[in-house]
Amino acid sequence: MRYSSAIIALAAPLVAYAAPARFYGKRAASDVLVFKFADVLEQLESTFYQQAIAKFKDTDFTSAGFPSSQIPIEQFTSIQADEASHSSALQAALKSFGETPITSCQFNFDSALTDVATMAATARVVETVGVAAYLGGATLLTDPVLLTAAGSILTVEARHQTILNVLSSGGTAIPAAFDMAFTPSEVLAIASPFISGCQIPIPANPTLSVTNTGTVAPGTLLTFKADSLNGTIPDSSLFCQMLVGGAPMSIPLPLSQCVVPAGINGPVALFITSDGQPLINNVRDRATNKLVAGPTLAFVDTKPQMLGQIARSSSGSGSNAQSSTSTQTISPAEASSIISSANGAATATAAAASASSTSASVSGTSGGPNTFVGKSPDGKITVKGWTGL
Ligand SMILES: *[C@@H]1O[C@H](CO)[C@@H](O)[C@H](O)[C@H]1NC(C)=O
């Protein structure tokens, strides 16, 4: 009994948050848009976990390598409840502004729910995108009170993301010191394939997918699929751009040499652009006029931790446990050379300028950031690189 008043006191701010009176009144259009968009993403997340929990049996989880199905099911159930609460709170706030939430979206996750490994990997993407969406939305919110309210959701999304890292085999719980921010259009490049039946008043960037099967590791040559990669712009004049949290800008590489450099751990956002100018990390000012497709997300797990190994031991029958074969790779030593040289804005821009003046055959700039040029072991690709990290 002595706990009850404390619990009521703790619950009070939440009640106030959800209560219409708290936020009553007309709001700036961008504040309304961010809340509406965030609510759609929360509905997406909530539905994803609902469908995942309903679909998989205990044995699906154990044969995917979990020592007990209880480990993932407890977490997915708890995360699902959070996402549903976020959606309710955002909808209540929108109604208090005199706005109508977007509630007609349908979500289809058939492609992501084929097996537990794919589901867990998708959940990890979903939470990373959730964090990136709230961070990007922060630049669009004009009212600091709404910014704090959105921030109170963002921190919880980040906790979910950590749990999903632990539940994914090979993941680092907290892989990097900084997270990435996406614009709403960038978020939709990833989320829109799952959404239908509703009007979201934000244009989606063209969706991009990585076609590599197997684990993405330093040295992996990434290959892509997108409707906009259709020959209108020849592949030889396209660039892949890799953006990680905390970096001043993306790493641009010619599309045919899109090799994951060493030194990356955790999520990497991948874009295809029609020039080699790096994309800046500043989400508000990121120039996207040369964007062809993306972003999409890849996870590069280079620092597996014991915590994840305990949660996801492969002692089960394990047929769905991730294999770790990449199709085309260069050696880790070659990959580390890719990022061995200069960094910083000036050099990265110089690199981009140099890169955009070259096409299929690439040569290094002596003394510049492009000094690494090397063949992959199978001789099929020439690798050139530098670091923006
Ligand atoms: C082909 O790609 C271009 C952009 O690169 C895009 O504008 C165009 O709509 C695409 N065509 C098809 C049929 O997808």
Side-chain angles (χ1 to χ4, degrees), residues 57-69 116 313 315-318:
K57 297 188 284 289
D58 289 352
T59 50
D60 295 327
F61 289 105
T62 47
S63 45
F66 289 104
S68 157
S69 62
V116 164
S313 79
S315 59
S317 57

Side-chain angles (χ1 to χ4, degrees), residues 14-68:
L14 264 185
V15 172
Y17 173 43
R22 180 73 183 82
F23 290 135
Y24 183 79
K26 191 159 169 53
R27 297 293 169 157
S30 64
D31 291 355
V32 171
L33 185 62
V34 169
F35 268 47
K36 281 188 179 178
F37 185 54
D39 171 43
V40 170
L41 293 180
E42 295 292 352
Q43 293 174 47
L44 179 149
E45 293 178 323
S46 171
T47 310
F48 172 79
Y49 290 108
Q50 260 167 11
Q51 292 183 6
I53 294 162
K55 168 155 185 174
F56 294 110
K57 297 188 284 289
D58 289 352
T59 50
D60 295 327
F61 289 105
T62 47
S63 45
F66 289 104
S68 157

Side-chain angles (χ1 to χ4, degrees), residues 227-228 230 232-233 292:
D227 288 346
S228 50
N230 57 23
T232 305
I233 305 171
V292 174

Side-chain angles (χ1 to χ4, degrees), residues 251-276:
I251 305 167
L253 289 170
L255 182 58
S256 62
Q257 299 163 38
C258 187
V259 172
V260 178
I264 286 183
N265 186 46
V268 184
L270 299 152
F271 303 75
I272 306 289
T273 57
S274 58
D275 75 10

Side-chain angles (χ1 to χ4, degrees), residues 180-183 185-186 189 205-206 208 224 238-253 258 268-296 344-353 355-356 386-389:
M180 276 180 286
F182 286 163
T183 66
S185 295
E186 290 170 350
N205 282 1
L208 177 68
F224 298 95
L238 294 175
F239 290 80
C240 84
Q241 307 264 359
M242 301 183 213
L243 185 67
V244 298
M249 58 194 60
S250 64
I251 305 167
L253 289 170
C258 187
V268 184
L270 299 152
F271 303 75
I272 306 289
T273 57
S274 58
D275 75 10
Q277 183 72 28
L279 301 172
I280 56 171
N281 208 341
N282 174 346
V283 69
R284 189 193 60 189
D285 302 333
R286 183 143 67 225
T288 50
N289 57 332
K290 299 292 184 183
L291 181 83
V292 174
T296 186
T347 49
T349 306
S356 54
W386 57 87
T387 178
L389 300 175

